[in-house]
Amino acid sequence: MAPTPLTLAVGPTENSVRVHPVVLFTITDAFLRRKEEQERVIGTLLGTIADGVVEVKNCYAVPHSESHDQVALDVQHHHTMAALQHRVNSREQIVGWFSTGDPDASRSRDALIHSFYGNECPNPVHLALDTSGQGGTMSVRAFVSCALSIGGRELAREFSEVDCEVRSTEAERVGVDLLSTELQEKLPGDMEGLADSFERLQQSLQQAQDYVDAVVAGKRKGNTAIGRYLAETVAAVPHFGREEFERMLTDQQNDCTLVLFLSKLIQAHLALADKLGTMQLPLL
Amino acid sequence: MAAKDAKQTKLPLKVVQLEGQVVLKIAKHCRESDASLRDSEATVTGQLLGLDVGSTLEITDCFPYPGNAGEEEQEAVGEGESYQLEMMRCMREVNADNNTVGWYQSTISGSFQVVEIIETFVSYMESLDRCVCIVYDITAAAGGALGLKAIRLSEAFVEAYREGSLTIEKIRAKGLSWRDMFVEIPITVHNSTMAAALAAEIAPSSAATTLDCERLNLGVAPLLEKNLEYLNDCLDDLMVEQGKLSMHQNQLRRQQQAIAQFKMQRRQENMARRAAGEEPLSEEPPEGMFKPVAEPNQLDNMLLSNQMASYCQHINSATQQALSKLTLMEGLQNAF
């Protein structure tokens, strides 16, 4: 009988984790609001799993206490919150748990928590947000547990790190400036936002132009990859004949101006009705 | 903003301070439900938690309400309450602020200005002295703007509303106008140092963000179309309201004519009686003969005016932006 080979079986693990920024902000807030004697906070992650990608969309903190090699988790709280969150969004399910602090420092206890979450969902993800500030960054890391087995017999499980990506589009939509300053006095207006975008667009164009000019003048060595990107970008701009473009432009402009006129007209009516105090639009 | 300053003498509410995570949570809830329901009319709501500090209302956390909270079924209401209590208890266990300071809801442009919001405000105000409603405009957000607004009802309006039906006389006597119904409170956004550090950490390095792309999108036609459609609906409704009002005025005029006629008849009758040496009858019509005509409530009218003003404002800003974008396009095209 041939000896069974040693296998490091990797179960059906997810190969990457995508985190929405709201999760990280909630964790940070929970960390700041932790009890005095606590060193870290832990909690449950909610999200969806599709095509091997775990998308973490929501989370909530769970009260816990830990001593040297023991962890007590408020299971009641966890279940209540899970049920409540389920009522709001039934598509988000439990996908794992999070903790703050250095994930390598408390492995034995983490294993206990991880096995608990193993009962809540298949293949839980452990998300670790480094709040210590050491090394000058707040790193976000994700782990899954893999079984180490010999001959089909599971001997132990180990944490293995998986790719973790922060989906920043949501944060971008709200505005990075809004989130990265400690106190934003005034919310940006619509027109100011547009002006900002214009400026950034102009900067990008200027940068591209400077680069191309430098390469053409022979001051800089051209990079083919960048060149290809630039060519693709230029090719993506639809090309119109002068007349056609003029026509489209004026059409659009006329539409806009007409709608603007209409809306101003109604505003004038409303203002008149207000001044006359008749509660009736005068000319309608 | 003079109305705002005048309305509270003790400690005027000057600023609503939102925590960064609250902005994100609200945006997430409103956007996700919009995408899932595919029913733009459905609004989502949630509760705001925070602290009332001097003239600032700090909103430090929030949680969403489950869908269909608007359905007025007794069971659903009871369940909603238990949901709320459970959630607050859980939040308290993890040391979050658990004072209710108001609620948030999604909206499409100005469509939040309906009777329901006033009713909700008035019922909130019974237990809470200060509450705000944060409205998140989905259409504005889709166009790359933030679309967040903190509103509350003006004190003068609440007073008038509590006294019953809003008649024209009452509105005039109080000097109310539709402009004074809602008061917008400036919003500031606060982030803890750690949250700010986190935001800097996860900020993308690329020059153009999603926000830029959404802002620079040239296709404004659907947005304008939608706004015009709502504006049209509003105008129709307003016409109906005005029809009611003119019908009321007609009724009133007819009644007054009838009263005058009655008096005239009595006077002639009395002259005849006097000539015959009899006691004259009272010239006033007997009670119950002419019932006072109820004046239609002007609340809807005012709300519609408010909605229209919001739509107009939205259209103005959208068209102005579109025009500047077109000018930019012209410049780019000429450069080619």
Side-chain angles (χ1 to χ4, degrees), chain B residues 133-155:
Chain B
C133 175
I134 303 276
V135 290
Y136 181 80
D137 188 347
I138 302 170
T139 45
L146 188 57
L148 269 185
K149 253 185 212 167
I151 53 160
R152 58 176 287 140
L153 292 180
S154 72
E155 215 92 314

Side-chain angles (χ1 to χ4, degrees), chain A residues 39-54:
Chain A
E39 278 175 22
R40 59 174 190 164
V41 285
I42 61 175
T44 308
L45 298 175
L46 298 169
T48 53
I49 303 173
D51 302 330
V53 180
V54 181

Side-chain angles (χ1 to χ4, degrees), chain A residues 77 172-173 184 197 200 263, chain B residues 93 189 210 212 214 316:
Chain A
H77 181 103
E172 280 176 20
R173 282 216 177 89
Q184 182 98 0
S197 290
R200 267 198 289 276
S263 119
Chain B
E93 275 178 25
V189 176
T210 328
D212 288 331
E214 277 176 0
N316 286 354

Side-chain angles (χ1 to χ4, degrees), chain A residues 210-241:
Chain A
D210 288 349
Y211 173 78
V212 173
D213 284 348
V215 172
V216 169
K219 284 183 206 147
R220 226 175 135 166
K221 203 166 169 292
N223 182 329
T224 38
I226 295 179
R228 215 163 280 141
Y229 275 128
L230 282 173
E232 264 172 34
T233 314
V234 173
V237 179
H239 205 77
F240 297 109

Side-chain angles (χ1 to χ4, degrees), chain B residues 103 114-129 131 133 152-155 157-164 181-182 299:
Chain B
W103 79 99
V114 287
V115 185
E116 283 81 15
I117 197 174
I118 294 178
E119 283 168 359
T120 321
F121 253 122
V122 170
S123 76
Y124 261 91
M125 277 172 161
E126 273 166 20
S127 50
L128 271 175
D129 196 24
C131 68
C133 175
R152 58 176 287 140
L153 292 180
S154 72
E155 215 92 314
F157 173 75
V158 173
E159 215 173 279
Y161 178 80
R162 282 197 175 132
E163 280 169 20
M181 284 173 76
F182 294 99
L299 185 62

